[in-house]
């Protein structure tokens, strides 16, 4: 990464940003254990830094315990204590289940609103990972410029300028999207809600990843549908073979839709390989099963190579793509979208009867922002923040959690999936952790069949601080003492 | 009305505001045909106006053809050409129907977005009937003051300060509301959606007024429910006796909910008398049928005596009240609410899976605005604008529509329901009117059973202008020439 790409954190001196970048290279294994880091002179020349800044960066890494100084020789990457294995492919039950995760979710969300609790619970990064000041300035500007807009009904399917920007971004990825099929929604949740209700009726079976986002399971529950959990791997995501087997199985004919997050699924962080993504589209096409793609984490890849949505391989207009700015740009704007494909008219009707139009002010603000070059710079910074934090949290888990623990190694997003030794009960652990003012998301939340009782999800969206480090250490001890 | 209450229209001189007020007294019959108006001297003394302003007001009324000058004697209210009767109580079919009004509604809404078409279609008043500048200032202020809010998830059930303001306003009406049961929604449509899905499942029968709001019929359609139309009177609203008969009838046991707009129902403008409102609550209680109250027009009474919501008489927590600022204060803010009563937890879960939280910026802006005295002043002005416009539109219908026409005489809101001579086909009329660039809402839109083909709804929310007058005259002629 060149110095030009370096976007400083607010209130963070340059040397820490440089340290973060080196830290990431180490976490990703590009600088291996035992390897020598660039010297102060090399670093300052390569990155066009002062020698003082370069030295400060290396010393910061030393304080973090990531590198060690060897006299007369330089800085070397320290041996990691050990490397925990990834979780294995999930093996959910083969039958569809009615869903009942709501009560756990309600407690999790309540705890997430408590400022005294260390928030590893909900998947929510720090507000200042986002360009809040710039966006609020755009919002204030929109309020002044479009002074009539609060007095008028907003267009039901969204601001044309924003729909254009969204279509344009997909076009840049090579995904052909007609502006006319973009429906602006109140966040990704409304997009998922509209998509699911458009293609399936109560009683229908919906194929989902296992584990999967609890909001999706609650949505399926509230619609009186049933979730069929499909085996999913922490790195490669949903198993297309397993889905094919389910479609050929006893409940196959009742599967109306498959809801998948191909890129950086929540909670696993998995990324389906490109061939698997293509195969998934073909499989759903063959079985005439609607494919709902949750693309909310797509922009958050650590490598800066945004995965292409499965929608790209859709020939029949049957993929419904749900997206949002909630993770990538503006969690509080509540602006998402649905690319409705051939379901456009049905989706529009449901949007009208669900909430009519979405308020325009943030649609204007985001559309104005997207016309500038700022978004690319922000994304580069956000990706680095996510990558650094995920690596650091994973390291802390390796260091502090007991033997037998497995942890995901995602290539994007900002959550970790931790499989604890068999017999650990994360619902019981949850009570003890909350008592210590530590929040996390217990595993059973992510299953319609009560699985993953020995698993938990960690939100890595909180800036690394001594308090966070201490909380992770304490959590590891709680697991250990069972 | 005293001069203190006079709120001038933007860009409207004081004499026109005085003329509007007198016009309203005439329209409401408080100044009867043949009666003498106050003299210039009386008017200027009573209202503390200059003689010039008073005279200009009387002359404006003369130009409108509402009063006539008699030499040496003064101004007199003119005899109205005739007074059209109100529509009779509706007689919908006794069986519940699946709903299919969507295609008409889609065309209506598309035409409403066309600035070249005179908009008697959607129920949307002029933007400058609302305090847009003040509200947008509050929004810009909120963006500056709460600069982190676009970077954070918003509370799922709404901003506590706004929920407090809403509960307080109901408390002032004597309606006890717990802040905790207020769920902020994306407009009234989302409130209706959540309420209906909470108390009824697909296949359920929902009792509704006949005619009723097409958005509600589309919502029922999109949920796979059936609408049972209950006879409704243009002045007194839903017939509680008819609902009782339906509950005792063959489909009575399948009726899960009754959705009613007791105050200024759309499209009839009817207001249920207080005794009928009480009786409705008791009836639903007795039959354990959920009562969903649409209170969106409640603030828009012409007399300034806001009707008390039926929720007031609810003892069991079974009334779900849906409200919104969309008609009374800020159509573009998309902020509504649901008073969920004993269904609070179920509603909250559905709110989370429908759209998660609602964006905070307008919640802050409205909550700040409601803390000032401005809302009462705005409502006084808005009520007068609605009353004047509705009276004027009704007069135009009386003057220009053929014999056999009936027209509603609502006591609030801003729509008129017009029953044309039997045999008139408003769907055919709609095509001819659109060709002339006149939009209105054809009657069948308001029925699940294709009734009201000889009826139409007029939006009176467009400021009276020569173009509006000419369009109403042209519409009357189109009706006449069949």
């Amino acid at each position: 990464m060149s110095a030009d790409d370096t976007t400083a954190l607010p209130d963070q001196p340059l040397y820490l940003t440089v340290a973060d970048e080196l830290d990431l290279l180490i976490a990703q294994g590009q600088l291996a254990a035992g390897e020598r880091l660039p010297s102060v002179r090399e670093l300052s020349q390569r990155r066009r830094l002062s020698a003082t800044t370069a030295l400060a960066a290396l010393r910061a890494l030393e304080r973090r315990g990531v590198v060690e100084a060897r006299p007369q020789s330089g800085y070397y990457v320290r041996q990691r204590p050990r490397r925990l294995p990834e979780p294995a492919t999930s093996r959910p039950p083969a039958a569809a289940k009615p869903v009942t995760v709501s009560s756990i979710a309600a407690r999790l969300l309540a705890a997430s609103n408590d400022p005294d609790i260390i928030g590893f619970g909900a998947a929510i990064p720090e507000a200042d990972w986002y360009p809040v000041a710039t966006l609020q300035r755009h919002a204030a500007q929109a309020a002044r410029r479009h002074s009539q807009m609060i007095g008028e009904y907003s267009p039901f399917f969204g601001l044309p300028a924003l729909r254009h920007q969204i279509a344009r971004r997909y076009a840049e990825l090579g995904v052909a999207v007609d502006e006319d099929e973009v429906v602006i929604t109140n966040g990704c949740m409304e997009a998922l809600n509209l998509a699911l209700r458009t293609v399936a009726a109560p009683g229908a079976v919906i194929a989902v990843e296992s584990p999967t986002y609890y909001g999706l399971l609650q949505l399926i529950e509230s619609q009186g549908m049933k979730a069929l959990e499909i085996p999913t791997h922490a790195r490669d995501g949903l198993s297309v073979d397993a889905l094919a087997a389910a479609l050929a199985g006893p409940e196959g004919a009742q599967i109306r839709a498959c809801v998948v997050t191909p890129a950086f699924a929540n909670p696993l962080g998995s990324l389906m390989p490109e061939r698997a993504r293509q195969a998934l589209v073909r499989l759903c096409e063959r079985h005439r099963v609607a494919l709902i793609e949750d693309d909310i984490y797509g922009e958050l890849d650590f490598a800066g190579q945004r995965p292409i949505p499965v929608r790209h391989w859709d020939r029949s207009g049957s993929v419904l793509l749900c997206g949002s700015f909630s993770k990538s740009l503006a969690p509080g704007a509540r602006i998402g979208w649905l690319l409705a494909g051939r379901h456009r008219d049905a989706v529009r009707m449901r949007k009208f009867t669900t909430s009519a139009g979405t308020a325009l002010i943030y649609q204007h603000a985001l559309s104005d922002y997207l016309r500038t070059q700022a978004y690319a710079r922000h994304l580069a910074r956000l990706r680095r923040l996510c990558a650094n934090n995920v690596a650091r949290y994973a390291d802390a888990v390796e260091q502090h959690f007991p033997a037998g623990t497995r942890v995901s190694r995602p290539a994007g997003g900002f959550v970790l999936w931790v499989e604890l030794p068999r017999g650990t009960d994360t619902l019981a652990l949850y009570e003890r952790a909350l008592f210590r003012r530590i929040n996390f998301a217990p595993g059973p939340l992510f299953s319609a069949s009560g699985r993953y009782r020995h698993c938990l999800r960690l939100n890595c969206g909180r800036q690394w601080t001594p308090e966070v480090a201490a909380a992770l250490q304490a959590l590891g001890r709680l697991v250990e003492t069972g």
Side-chain angles (χ1 to χ4, degrees), chain A:
Chain A
M1 187 172 287
S2 84
D4 288 336
D5 290 333
T6 302
T7 314
L9 281 168
D11 308 321
Q12 172 167 305
L14 180 58
Y15 79 89
L16 280 183
T17 305
V18 176
D20 285 350
E21 289 168 18
L22 289 168
D23 206 349
L24 177 59
L25 295 177
I26 296 164
Q28 290 175 333
Q30 292 174 52
L31 278 169
E35 210 172 314
R36 195 177 73 87
L37 270 76
S39 70
V40 169
R41 213 177 85 194
E42 286 162 353
L43 191 59
S44 62
Q45 277 176 356
R46 256 190 244 164
R47 301 292 307 274
R48 296 192 198 132
L49 306 168
S50 71
T52 325
T53 302
L55 180 63
L58 292 167
R59 287 208 171 132
L61 288 175
E62 189 185 7
R63 279 195 305 279
R64 289 179 192 170
V66 176
V67 305
E68 57 190 5
R70 295 187 193 158
Q72 321 301 333
S73 174
Y75 287 87
Y76 289 79
V77 179
R78 284 182 65 172
Q79 199 67 42
R80 295 192 161 203
R82 57 202 158 105
R83 174 91 184 179
L84 295 181
E86 281 179 328
T89 300
S90 64
R91 281 177 306 181
K97 300 278 173 186
V99 180
T100 48
V101 296
S102 293
S103 61
I104 317 175
R107 296 196 53 207
L108 173 82
L109 297 170
S112 301
N113 285 333
D114 185 335
D116 290 340
I117 293 178
I118 299 268
F120 305 139
I124 304 177
E126 302 272 345
D128 62 10
W129 287 21
Y130 298 100
V132 289
T134 311
L135 290 173
Q136 294 290 23
R137 203 161 53 238
H138 279 294
Q141 234 164 47
R144 281 192 304 273
R145 249 183 229 160
H146 309 278
S147 59
Q148 298 277 298
M149 83 185 153
I150 200 170
E152 289 166 346
Y153 268 64
S154 27
F156 294 128
F157 316 123
L159 183 72
L162 181 62
R163 291 160 62 193
H164 171 74
Q165 290 291 335
I166 289 167
R168 184 183 62 77
R169 284 195 65 81
Y170 283 106
E172 285 171 4
L173 285 173
V175 182
V177 171
D178 186 345
E179 286 175 43
D180 211 41
E181 55 158 315
V182 182
V183 175
I184 301 293
T185 58
N186 293 298
C188 200
M189 189 56 114
E190 192 177 69
L192 284 169
N193 182 301
L194 298 176
L196 198 63
R197 282 167 47 215
T198 296
V199 299
V205 171
I206 311 299
V208 300
E209 288 142 335
S210 180
T212 192
Y213 170 46
Y214 56 82
L216 173 62
L217 292 174
Q218 285 186 285
L219 169 57
I220 291 171
E221 172 182 359
S222 80
Q223 291 299 320
M225 301 170 185
K226 282 184 285 187
L228 178 62
E229 297 176 68
I230 305 295
T232 304
H233 187 270
R235 193 176 353 93
D236 295 338
L238 181 100
S239 160
V240 179
D241 288 345
L243 177 61
L247 284 164
E251 291 186 299
Q254 294 164 61
I255 299 177
R256 285 285 162 277
C258 179
V259 185
V260 181
T261 306
F264 320 123
N266 173 8
L268 287 179
S270 50
L271 169 62
M272 291 178 74
E274 198 165 303
R275 283 182 58 161
R277 278 178 268 159
Q278 291 185 41
L280 175 64
V281 176
R282 294 290 157 263
L283 178 66
C284 288
E285 230 170 52
R286 224 163 32 241
H287 287 268
R288 297 174 188 279
V289 163
L291 180 51
I292 299 175
E293 173 173 32
D294 181 348
D295 190 37
I296 193 169
Y297 292 98
E299 299 278 14
L300 300 187
D301 62 303
F302 300 158
Q305 299 215 318
R306 194 224 195 282
I308 294 171
V310 299
R311 156 72 199 239
H312 178 61
W313 294 282
D314 175 28
R315 291 174 301 204
S316 60
S318 306
V319 172
L320 294 119
L321 184 151
C322 303
S324 170
F325 295 111
S326 296
K327 307 294 180 188
S328 60
L329 179 58
R334 305 299 308 131
I335 301 291
W337 59 86
L338 178 51
L339 309 185
R342 68 181 175 83
H343 297 288
R344 190 198 67 176
D345 291 344
V347 164
R348 285 181 164 194
M349 197 272 244
R350 277 167 186 79
K351 168 59 176 161
F352 176 64
T353 61
T354 299
S355 61
T358 291
L360 282 182
I361 185 164
Y362 281 140
Q363 295 190 60
H364 277 294
L366 293 173
S367 151
D368 292 348
Y369 179 87
L370 292 176
R371 269 201 294 271
T372 70
Q373 297 305 308
Y375 191 34
R377 284 198 303 274
H378 156 69
L379 277 181
R381 173 179 168 242
L382 179 64
R383 287 167 172 148
R384 205 170 58 238
L385 287 165
C386 289
N388 278 347
N389 257 39
V390 165
R392 203 162 294 168
Y393 278 61
D395 285 352
V397 170
E398 298 204 342
Q399 217 176 320
H400 301 303
F401 281 50
T405 298
R406 289 163 176 254
V407 65
S408 61
R409 286 284 174 177
F414 47 82
V415 296
L416 282 177
W417 182 248
V418 184
E419 229 180 85
L420 301 171
R422 287 272 157 194
T424 312
D425 178 358
T426 54
L427 288 177
L429 181 69
Y430 188 63
E431 304 303 326
R432 303 209 310 282
L434 264 191
F435 184 75
R436 302 280 298 264
R437 308 212 145 280
I438 301 169
N439 193 16
F440 64 82
L445 206 52
F446 301 92
S447 166
S449 55
R451 291 180 66 79
Y452 310 117
R453 196 140 179 155
H454 64 303
C455 300
L456 58 84
R457 186 193 70 183
L458 285 180
N459 168 39
C460 308
R462 270 184 88 100
Q463 195 63 49
W464 187 260
T465 60
E467 289 73 36
V468 165
L472 285 172
Q473 190 169 6
L475 188 56
R477 212 153 34 220
L478 282 177
V479 174
E480 194 131 36
T481 58

